[in-house]
């Protein structure tokens, strides 16, 4: 078998084998929670953004917040804001977002405010930081997606090489 048929067959085999696994892995991951700033000071406002929810509303709760935050949006991406309590001590605090079809968890780290400093409003609309939702590195869905994309690239390179040989 030549290199092109072998490349095409290998790529199709990988995509066929990993397609259902990638969907199952994405469903198991439960979505992604992002916060800006990722390390707020007491009294600061935190902008929350969650993807992977099917509804148009969700509620974000944390011991660090003064009240539960209502998140709204469409097409699986919801956003809203919450204020960190002024008496909240420094440390890590879990954030739980309850959507229509799942619960997405994350964590923020409240940092100590320097004496004499105050919490100033910050435009954080374009500065989202992914909140740690587990270990470091890509999750299963991201790893499988990368593998599928690498396979598709290998197929494209093989097809282009074959086309280049025909024109000579």
């Amino acid at each position: 078998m030549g290199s092109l048929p072998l490349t095409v067959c290998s790529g199709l085999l990988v995509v066929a084998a990993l397609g259902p696994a990638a969907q199952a892995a994405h469903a198991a991951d439960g979505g992604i929670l992002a916060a800006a700033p990722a390390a707020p000071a007491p009294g600061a406002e935190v902008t929350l953004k969650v993807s992977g929810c099917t509804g148009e509303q969700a509620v974000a709760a944390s011991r660090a917040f003064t009240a539960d935050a209502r998140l709204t949006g469409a097409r699986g991406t919801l956003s809203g804001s919450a204020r960190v309590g002024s008496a909240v001590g420094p440390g890590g605090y879990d954030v739980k977002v309850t959507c229509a079809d799942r619960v997405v968890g994350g964590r923020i780290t409240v940092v100590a405010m320097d004496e004499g400093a105050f919490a100033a409003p910050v435009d954080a609309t374009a500065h989202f930081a992914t909140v740690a939702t587990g270990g470091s590195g890509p999750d299963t869905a991201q790893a499988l997606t990368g593998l599928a994309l690498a396979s598709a690239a290998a197929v494209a390179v093989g097809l282009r090489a074959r086309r280049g040989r025909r024109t000579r």
Side-chain angles (χ1 to χ4, degrees):
M1 183 181 271
S3 66
L4 177 63
L6 182 62
T7 303
V8 171
C9 289
S10 297
L12 291 176
L13 182 62
V14 168
V15 171
L18 296 179
Q23 291 173 356
H26 181 68
D29 288 335
I32 298 171
L33 176 63
E45 185 170 320
V46 178
T47 302
L48 302 169
K49 183 176 180 181
V50 66
S51 62
C53 293
T54 58
E56 294 180 0
Q57 294 183 8
V59 176
S62 176
R63 291 183 325 141
F65 299 156
T66 57
D68 291 350
R70 298 190 63 67
L71 309 178
T72 58
R75 289 184 256 140
T77 302
L78 308 175
S79 61
S81 61
R83 182 158 306 278
V84 176
S86 59
V88 172
Y93 292 88
D94 290 329
V95 179
K96 182 174 94 171
V97 178
T98 305
C99 305
D101 61 338
R102 68 184 57 165
V103 174
V104 178
R107 192 165 180 85
I108 62 169
T109 302
V110 176
V111 296
M113 191 179 328
D114 295 333
E115 286 188 35
F118 61 94
V122 176
D123 179 16
T125 55
H127 305 306
F128 282 101
T130 302
V131 177
T133 59
S136 62
D139 62 15
T140 306
Q142 291 169 332
L144 293 175
T145 302
L147 185 57
L149 290 173
S151 298
V155 169
V157 168
L159 291 173
R160 181 159 175 102
R162 183 172 182 186
R163 190 180 327 154
R165 278 187 246 145
R166 273 196 222 158
T167 58
R168 291 181 191 175

